[in-house]
Amino acid sequence: MTRTLSRDHAVEGDAALYRVHEERDSQRLLALLAEDRAYAAFAIGHLDSGLFRDARFWTAEGPAGEHAVVMHANGSLGKMTVLCGDAGGVAATLSLHPGPRGGYLATCAPEHLAAGRRVYALGGVISMIRMAVEAESFRPAGPGVGQPPVQQLSARDARALNALYATGGGPTGYRGEHIEQGVYYGVFEGGSLVAVAGTHLVSPGMGIGVVGNVFTHASARGRGLATRVTSAVTSTLIERGCWQVTLTVDPENPPALRAYERLGYVRGAPLHEARIERRDVIGLGALLRRRLARRGPDGERLVRIHPDE
């Protein structure tokens, strides 16, 4: 954004005027997202050259210079949406660019929920916190005396992975390429996979990775296996150039919090995740708003947002 509006022209009554446009400058986006890298991990990871083509980013600038970034991407979680920054800017952007008809809201701050609910039907909303560790503060787990070894999984382990997740009611559609494209470690006992940790995103180019899919079979819990497989995934991500590694955890799960903290992970921002279905199924409302919106001096669309929106 090369020009700014004066505050006199940007505020009308109690409505703030936001300048919304699609942004394809990855360095510009990185500067906007860098304030909290851990929170914005999915968005920052998609700035990597290998992932950037699968994502679209919109930015909104408010009258006092406040910013928001909205990303819609087709990534490792399928169709995902990430909301970052100023809540009014998020509302302004979603009013014009709500994204695909359905998908997953992978990152949403508490203050973004109201804007999200105006645009989406939210299902399975969960409250989480983001945790992060950096290379210099990572403390790997020990080998686990008397425990079976941790080993890296490969494509041939997809069936065992799906069988383990099925015991907890989790997704069971993983294929060999999902394992090969990410980083997965597990523990086998009696020929069965009983603990696993993997990744949602691997972005060495942006120095960031996201650990996910951590799960232990009910019969093997309480033995530190989740800590060991998470440690192995984290170590490999750091070795590959992801100097910052993040994960998301339920704040009401003290054992998991303590386990990750033993590895050096630090608690960060609260967030929500949810399944989303766009309320405007056909998309005519957003299309009409885009066409009717006034244009700014750089071609951006101007959107007024009231404080209660």
Side-chain angles (χ1 to χ4, degrees):
M1 300 177 185
T2 60
R3 300 174 64 180
T4 59
L5 296 174
S6 73
R7 189 168 178 82
D8 290 340
H9 291 91
V11 178
E12 183 177 283
D14 60 353
L17 187 67
Y18 285 87
R19 306 172 56 184
V20 179
H21 86 293
E22 185 169 8
E23 181 63 76
R24 295 305 293 173
D25 184 334
S26 60
Q27 292 304 308
R28 168 69 169 158
L29 288 165
L30 180 60
L32 295 175
L33 295 166
E35 181 176 347
D36 189 342
R37 280 179 53 95
Y39 172 85
F42 281 110
I44 290 175
H46 279 82
L47 299 179
D48 196 314
S49 58
L51 298 173
F52 196 50
R53 65 178 179 272
D54 297 322
R56 296 185 71 180
F57 293 85
W58 285 268
T59 64
E61 181 181 359
E66 59 270 50
H67 287 88
V69 177
V70 171
M71 181 192 81
H72 300 302
N74 191 10
S76 58
L77 295 180
K79 294 178 180 178
M80 73 166 73
T81 293
V82 171
L83 310 179
C84 300
D86 177 71
V90 166
T93 304
L94 290 180
S95 72
L96 301 181
H97 305 288
R101 289 178 59 177
Y104 196 73
L105 185 57
T107 305
C108 166
E111 61 268 25
H112 300 149
L113 271 181
R117 287 195 167 106
R118 281 192 295 275
V119 177
Y120 308 117
L122 303 182
V125 179
I126 54 177
S127 299
M128 309 289 275
I129 62 170
R130 190 64 46 83
M131 300 184 76
V133 65
E134 297 184 1
E136 62 270 19
S137 57
F138 173 55
R139 299 188 294 271
V145 178
Q147 298 279 9
V150 173
Q151 61 188 71
Q152 188 163 8
L153 304 185
S154 65
R156 66 176 180 271
D157 298 310
R159 180 174 295 180
L161 182 67
N162 288 320
L164 174 59
Y165 286 143
T167 67
T172 58
Y174 287 89
R175 300 189 299 274
E177 58 263 34
H178 294 140
I179 299 175
E180 297 291 351
Q181 291 168 3
V183 177
Y184 281 78
Y185 279 86
V187 173
F188 286 87
E189 279 189 327
S192 297
L193 186 65
V194 296
V196 67
T199 51
H200 290 317
L201 181 141
V202 182
S203 179
M206 300 308 299
I208 202 160
V210 180
V211 175
N213 301 321
V214 181
F215 185 74
T216 304
H217 192 279
S219 65
R221 291 172 186 166
R223 294 160 48 191
L225 299 184
T227 304
R228 292 172 59 214
V229 292
T230 300
S231 175
V233 172
T234 304
S235 180
T236 297
L237 288 173
I238 290 173
E239 290 171 3
R240 292 188 181 182
C242 300
W243 59 265
Q244 184 181 47
V245 181
T246 75
L247 53 79
T248 307
V249 62
D250 181 353
E252 302 301 320
N253 187 347
L257 290 167
R258 290 193 295 269
Y260 298 140
E261 287 173 337
R262 284 195 292 271
L263 298 175
Y265 281 86
V266 176
R267 304 185 197 196
L271 54 87
H272 298 286
E273 298 178 5
R275 299 185 306 275
I276 54 177
E277 292 291 338
R278 202 177 62 212
R279 295 187 184 279
D280 180 7
V281 176
I282 300 176
L284 291 178
L287 175 62
L288 184 61
R289 284 189 290 273
R290 288 197 298 271
R291 289 188 173 179
L292 295 179
R294 290 193 298 116
R295 295 277 188 158
D298 295 322
E300 69 276 26
R301 288 179 169 86
L302 308 180
V303 182
R304 291 196 182 278
I305 297 293
H306 289 266
D308 57 349
E309 291 189 31

